[in-house]
Each structure stands twice: as C-alpha cells, then as structure tokens.
Amino acid sequence: APFFPRPVSWIMTLQTLRFRSAYMDIAKEEGVVYVNLYKSSWDDKLQGSSEYYAPDYLHLNAKGYEVWYNEVRSTMASEGIVLP
C-alpha cells in the first residue's frame, strides 16, 4: 500500500511474502483453495495509482477490491467452483 514509505514498504513486503508462503503450505495441507491476492503485476497496477485506494492510501477502494474479487472468481472457476 502507498501508505507505507520506503524502506518500511520493503519490510512489509518481506513479511507478506513470508506469511503468504506459510498460508499456501497450510492451504495445500488442508486441501483448500488458496487465492493468490499478491502478484507483482497487481503491485504495479495498484501501487502506481491512487485510483485503487481509499483516501487513507492503506485500504483499497471499490475499484481496488474489484481487482481482488475478479481474482477470487477466476481462481474458484479454475478449481471448478461456481460462485453466484
């Protein structure tokens, strides 16, 4: 999120990747679908424009959450799960 200045943003990214890896492993062990909401292409898209963030620059706005929603739907569809 643009809220975090460098080098704090780099530290937050490292923490995110560490937790992400653990969550991916747990999801695999438990047999549940993991929806990857961390992608470098999104980072470029979301990080580079305030149009995806709420005024606090920490939370996404409706347009930003739409990006995540579309990824959830895409992941579920690829796993054969149909969402309404």
Side-chain angles (χ1 to χ4, degrees):
F3 175 83
F4 298 106
R6 289 183 176 103
V8 175
S9 63
W10 298 331
I11 294 167
M12 296 299 288
T13 297
L14 290 174
Q15 281 293 88
T16 297
L17 293 174
R18 192 175 342 205
F19 281 107
R20 176 180 170 261
S21 179
Y23 290 134
M24 290 172 79
D25 291 343
I26 292 167
K28 189 173 186 175
E29 289 171 12
E30 297 296 323
V32 298
V33 175
Y34 178 85
V35 179
N36 182 19
L37 295 178
Y38 182 89
K39 294 185 179 180
S40 60
S41 61
W42 287 354
D43 290 339
D44 292 340
K45 182 177 185 179
L46 297 179
Q47 187 80 10
S49 175
S50 62
E51 83 178 279
Y52 295 99
Y53 282 92
D56 65 5
Y57 291 108
L58 179 61
H59 299 93
L60 298 174
N61 62 19
K63 198 169 186 176
Y65 281 116
E66 181 181 12
V67 172
W68 280 12
Y69 174 77
N70 290 333
E71 184 62 22
V72 169
R73 287 189 64 90
S74 174
T75 300
M76 296 295 104
S78 71
E79 294 291 326
I81 301 168
V82 179
L83 298 176

